[in-house]
């Protein structure tokens, strides 16, 4: 098995570094019809995709626990995540666990059903759970032609007003807040530097950029 994996990696396209790794991992998912936020790894060291077999791997510096807010579920991503992907499916997944009551359960398959807009997580333990697919769409930062900060989906074509985005993300903002303040809050959220979803009722606030 180890030799086979090395042979697949030798034929694969691979990428080093966190910034490029995040971009490419989202692209891999989008290519097979899966939400781009299913693998929200941080500090990615390396990722790769061997298209003929569908083999995908991602390595990150440390194990992380990510909470999908819309479904109130926590998922553990180990330092190495591997799988085989095909259209609307992640198979033979290793390195991912989801919390079921008080137990961390390995996730071995992820199936997207476009007809019902659902994502189903399956474990070899016989446990299966389905959730709305939009709970796994990651926000992406955009800069429009006029320099305003926006946000978009995987195609990056649409620009949405900052206030609408923050409200959709369930981030509480003051009733009177300048455009620049809204942009700053959104920037912090996208960069994972917003410690709490509740923002002070004062319009002016200090942040460390």
């Amino acid at each position: 098995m180890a030799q086979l994996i090395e042979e697949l990696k030798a034929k694969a396209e691979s990428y080093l570094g966190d910034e490029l790794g995040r971009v490419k991992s989202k692209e891999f998912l989008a290519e097979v019809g899966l939400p781009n936020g299913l693998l929200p790894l941080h500090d990615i060291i390396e990722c790769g995709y061997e298209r003929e077999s569908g083999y995908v791997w991602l390595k990150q510096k440390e194990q992380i626990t990510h909470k999908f807010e819309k479904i109130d579920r926590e998922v553990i991503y180990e330092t190495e995540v591997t799988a085989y992907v095909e259209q609307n499916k992640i198979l033979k997944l290793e390195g991912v666990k989801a919390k079921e009551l008080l137990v961390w359960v390995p996730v071995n398959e992820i199936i997207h059903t476009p007809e019902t807009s659902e994502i189903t997580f399956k474990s070899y333990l016989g446990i299966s759970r389905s959730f709305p697919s939009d709970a796994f769409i990651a926000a992406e930062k955009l800069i429009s032609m006029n320099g305003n900060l926006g946000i978009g989906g995987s195609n990056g074509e649409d620009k949405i007003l900052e206030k609408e985005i923050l409200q959709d993300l369930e981030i509480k903002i003051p009733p009177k807040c300048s455009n620049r303040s809204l942009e700053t809050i959104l920037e912090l959220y996208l960069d994972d530097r917003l410690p709490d979803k509740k923002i002070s009722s004062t319009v002016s606030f200090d942040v460390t950029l």
Side-chain angles (χ1 to χ4, degrees):
M1 178 62 74
Q3 182 177 350
L4 173 61
I5 296 302
E6 291 305 314
E7 290 175 357
L8 292 175
K9 286 185 175 182
K11 297 188 296 179
E13 53 185 90
S14 59
Y15 305 91
L16 301 176
D18 182 56
E19 184 174 353
L20 189 55
R22 293 196 195 200
V23 170
K24 290 301 179 180
S25 63
K26 289 183 174 69
E27 288 182 1
F28 298 159
L29 292 168
E31 280 187 28
V32 293
L34 294 166
N36 65 349
L38 275 174
L39 300 173
L41 276 63
H42 295 173
D43 295 326
I44 296 175
I45 300 170
E46 178 186 8
C47 74
Y49 182 23
E50 203 287 302
R51 295 176 184 277
E52 184 177 352
S53 65
Y55 180 71
V56 172
W57 78 93
L58 300 99
K59 294 181 180 180
Q60 60 181 350
K61 289 182 180 180
E62 296 179 348
Q63 173 181 295
I64 65 165
T65 301
H66 178 84
K67 185 173 184 179
F68 291 99
E69 297 290 348
K70 284 190 176 182
I71 58 173
D72 194 30
R73 293 277 179 153
E74 291 183 328
V75 178
I76 286 178
Y77 295 86
E78 297 177 0
T79 54
E80 183 167 7
V81 175
T82 63
Y84 289 84
V85 299
E86 56 185 68
Q87 195 64 29
N88 295 315
K89 296 179 181 179
I90 297 179
L91 306 173
K92 298 181 180 178
L93 178 62
E94 295 184 8
V96 178
K97 296 178 182 178
K99 196 167 189 179
E100 187 68 25
L101 297 177
L102 300 177
V103 180
W104 289 101
V105 177
V107 177
N108 307 110
E109 291 186 10
I110 302 176
I111 311 296
H112 179 214
T113 307
E115 295 79 8
T116 59
S117 298
E118 287 186 329
I119 294 286
T120 301
F121 294 79
K122 297 182 178 181
S123 171
Y124 63 75
L125 298 176
I127 298 173
S128 176
R129 295 286 183 270
S130 296
F131 304 98
S133 57
D134 63 1
F136 307 97
I137 297 176
E140 294 180 4
K141 187 162 50 177
L142 302 176
I143 301 296
S144 67
M145 294 299 290
N146 62 6
N148 292 327
L149 179 65
I151 196 168
S154 59
N155 59 15
E157 294 177 355
D158 298 327
K159 183 182 182 297
I160 307 172
L161 293 175
E162 285 85 356
K163 190 171 184 178
E164 293 177 353
I165 301 163
L166 293 166
Q167 289 172 342
D168 186 56
L169 292 170
E170 298 180 353
I171 296 175
K172 296 180 180 179
I173 57 175
K176 295 181 180 180
C177 194
S178 69
N179 288 338
R180 180 55 194 152
S181 295
L182 289 172
E183 289 181 3
T184 302
I185 296 169
L186 183 55
E187 284 178 329
L188 291 173
Y189 180 89
L190 292 172
D191 291 338
D192 297 324
R193 286 181 286 158
L194 190 62
D196 196 313
K197 288 187 177 182
K198 295 179 180 179
I199 306 300
S200 169
S201 59
T202 59
V203 176
S204 301
F205 54 90
D206 294 326
V207 295
T208 302
L209 298 176

